[in-house]
Amino acid sequence: MSWNEMQPLLSQACWDTLYMVGWSTLIAVLGGLPLGVLLVLTDRGGLLQNTVVNKVIGQVVNVVRSMPFIILMVALMTFTRWIVGTTIGREAAIVPLAVGAIPFFARLVETSVREVDGGLVEAVQSMGGSTWTVVRKVLVPESLPSLISATTTTVVAIIGYSAMAGTVGAGGLGDLAIRYGYQRFESQMMWLIVAVLALVIAVVQFAGDSGARVLHRRSGKGGEPLRFRVLAGFLPGGPAGATPVKSADS
């Protein structure tokens, strides 16, 4: 198979894969971020402690996460058809990709948010900050570098899922590998797809790691204690005119 024959097929497959991964990642972040934060808030000792809600959400997340993606795609066929009107093609693949990625990302978000200093949360509460304020001003901003890393991990996982989705007619690089690399024994096409996937994953990982490092450096810039920088936003005059006061445990 010549390059002139492979090039248009590979270009379309790359676009289909990026389309599926992009939309699935967006949905996974929009669904997984609040779900992960809610798991932390409703846990024992959390701001919205509710054992029943926490256990129910946790079990649903665990069940979906533990299900092999191929089985998940088959199980969601009726739901996928109801959402997009078909079970074949890149649009149809987005549904199971997103459903499988949301609980995966939610657990990563939960881990990231738990790393935030509990004393900082207590300090903001003592100054009258509501639960929404704590989430918006403390939990999400202070865990942002870890959240960027979590998003990177999720994107890499979705790329792998999208390749598996090609086995059931989802399109993309996985479908191309099955039809040409496996069924037609086009080894050149197969290795080219492997190289493209490796390159895409390397670029995504590099971009995610770079973004996380930049945010981490910015969060510690100036040598000012983390608690003082956050609490400055709650004091009269805002961050620029505030003179933070040390709390008892700082």
Side-chain angles (χ1 to χ4, degrees):
M1 194 174 190
S2 67
W3 168 249
N4 289 334
E5 294 174 312
M6 290 189 293
Q7 193 271 334
L9 294 172
L10 196 61
S11 298
Q12 184 61 46
C14 287
W15 167 247
D16 289 344
T17 296
L18 292 176
Y19 180 88
M20 290 187 291
V21 171
W23 279 106
S24 300
T25 301
L26 178 62
I27 297 171
V29 170
L30 293 178
L33 181 59
L35 192 61
V37 173
L38 189 60
L39 283 169
V40 176
L41 295 178
T42 57
D43 199 7
R44 183 177 292 115
L47 300 179
L48 300 175
Q49 180 175 327
N50 190 316
T51 304
V52 175
V53 172
N54 185 267
K55 293 297 183 182
V56 170
I57 296 176
Q59 286 302 317
V60 172
V61 168
N62 291 339
V63 168
V64 179
R65 281 186 64 202
S66 64
M67 190 175 299
F69 182 69
I70 292 295
I71 297 177
L72 181 65
M73 286 191 67
V74 175
L76 290 175
M77 278 188 174
T78 301
F79 179 69
T80 300
R81 185 180 290 109
W82 180 70
I83 293 292
V84 298
T86 181
T87 59
I88 299 176
R90 62 185 189 180
E91 284 78 15
I94 292 173
V95 176
L97 283 172
V99 170
I102 286 174
F104 180 84
F105 184 67
R107 283 300 186 189
L108 296 178
V109 170
E110 180 187 11
T111 301
S112 299
V113 172
R114 288 190 189 280
E115 295 175 356
V116 176
D117 181 15
L120 182 59
V121 174
E122 294 175 1
V124 172
Q125 281 188 294
S126 69
M127 300 184 70
S130 64
T131 300
W132 170 242
T133 301
V134 171
V135 172
R136 186 168 56 92
K137 295 282 190 178
V138 181
L139 296 182
V140 173
E142 297 307 324
S143 61
L144 197 54
S146 294
L147 292 177
I148 294 297
S149 297
T151 303
T152 303
T153 302
T154 303
V155 171
V156 173
I158 292 176
I159 292 174
Y161 291 162
S162 71
M164 285 188 283
T167 61
V168 290
L173 292 170
D175 176 63
L176 198 64
I178 292 295
R179 288 191 293 115
Y180 287 87
Y182 178 71
Q183 295 176 347
R184 302 187 186 185
F185 303 101
E186 294 284 352
S187 58
Q188 288 182 330
M189 176 66 85
M190 176 65 79
W191 286 112
L192 191 57
I193 292 171
V194 170
V196 170
L197 285 172
L199 178 62
V200 171
I201 290 174
V203 170
V204 169
Q205 193 67 56
F206 175 78
D209 292 345
S210 299
R213 281 195 297 268
V214 169
L215 288 174
H216 184 72
R217 285 197 297 267
R218 286 182 178 178
S219 66
K221 186 171 61 178
E224 196 175 35
L226 172 64
R227 181 169 300 179
F228 291 175
R229 288 189 286 107
V230 174
L231 294 184
F234 293 89
L235 296 174
T243 303
V245 179
K246 290 186 177 181
S247 61
D249 58 342
S250 61

